[in-house]
Amino acid sequence: MSSTKKEKKQAPSPRNEGKKRVAVIPGDGIGQEVIPQAVKVIQATGANVELTEFDWGADRYLRDGTTVPADGFAMLARDFDAILVGAFGDPRVKTNIHAKEILLGMRFKMDLYANVRPVRLLDAALCPLKGVEPKDVDFVVLRENTEGVYTDAGGVFKGGTPDEIATQEDINTRKGVERIIRYAFQYCEQHTKLDGSPCKTVLMCDKSNAMTHAGGLWQRVFKEVSGEYPHITAQHMYVDALCMQMVRDPRQFDVIVTNNMFGDIITDLAAGLQGGLGMAASGNIHPGRTSMFEPVHGSAPPIAGKNVANPFGAILTAAMMLRHLEFEKEAGKIEAAVLAAVREKKTTQDIGGKLGTKEAAEWVALRVGQG
Ligand code: ATP
């Protein structure tokens, strides 16, 4: 059975056969609403997990100036099997320093290089496109998660003057590009579509016609690695063309692999195909290491504290985490319950229902408990 602890009161229990330990960091804004609901749903599955909550986020930062406690990332990697995160960002912290240090810190310092973002439409009613069925929107975006412009390399010269110069470097290493592309081919080999058919294509997206240096590296590595997987079709699109194709014909995609920034942008578009940001799940993975799972949405300050945030992105993220921890049956139960909630309109308003955050999640938890 699952159990919960608060960080300071108790350290995680000793490891025992089968039990997995999960660090839970709700963070800010709607993260504080949706993550406790996702936790309830995990508990309803009866999975053998121990959940330990951490208060990292804006409130703590404003209270004592701590973003990540000393040794924080090493502790997560050492003591936990997975991390469930909400969102970071609070209008009271103008610099957003805590979000940067916690979220980007986790991705970079724990080297969680594969940001896995499944794009699945649960019900035709949720998709803004005409005539599109759930079987037509079933692909995954693999976003490089440790490099690109998010490393914040660069600077400002002559700041605040008419001669100001700002640079933002796009960092692409051979190692970083190769491992995410290889991950994409392996992912394609190991996964099937929801209808049971095999994944057949890996599409690499870049802007190598304009960004020739970084794009050239991605092109070369993609060509090399795809040669090792002759049974998988390798495709390429420029990011602008991909955006148009995702709207015109989402059926054509299986696995899309791209850099950090393009991945960030196209997965908001992809979330739109699924019913909005409130429906999208993600995992930040380094195979064999403690990985982190978070809904795609941010802290959404305008709707925080109102019990209106859609908890399904967080709940589907919890399912993704359980599957990663090899609780396949429990993950399947959660996904089936969310599907039932969508079909029966037991949802929040953003996707056409009348329930609040808690009520929608409680419906799912009850269904999971019955399943
Ligand atoms: P970030 O850059 O941190 O990802 P963002 O600025 O892109 O964040 P979000 O915080 O994700 O944006 O939210 C943008 C808007 O999307 C919100 O103001 C809200 O209207 C909507 N939204 C996001 N998440 C949800 C949700 N779970 N339920 C309902 N609406 C949501």
Side-chain angles (χ1 to χ4, degrees), residues 76-90:
L76 290 176
R78 185 186 60 232
D79 294 342
F80 293 93
D81 299 295
I83 310 160
L84 181 64
V85 159
F88 299 95
D90 185 306

Side-chain angles (χ1 to χ4, degrees), residues 318-340:
M320 206 176 160
M321 180 186 76
L322 289 181
R323 178 165 291 115
H324 180 83
L325 294 174
E326 297 180 351
F327 294 110
E328 176 61 40
K329 187 169 55 89
E330 291 82 351
K333 270 190 197 174
I334 294 178
E335 288 162 348
V338 171
L339 181 62

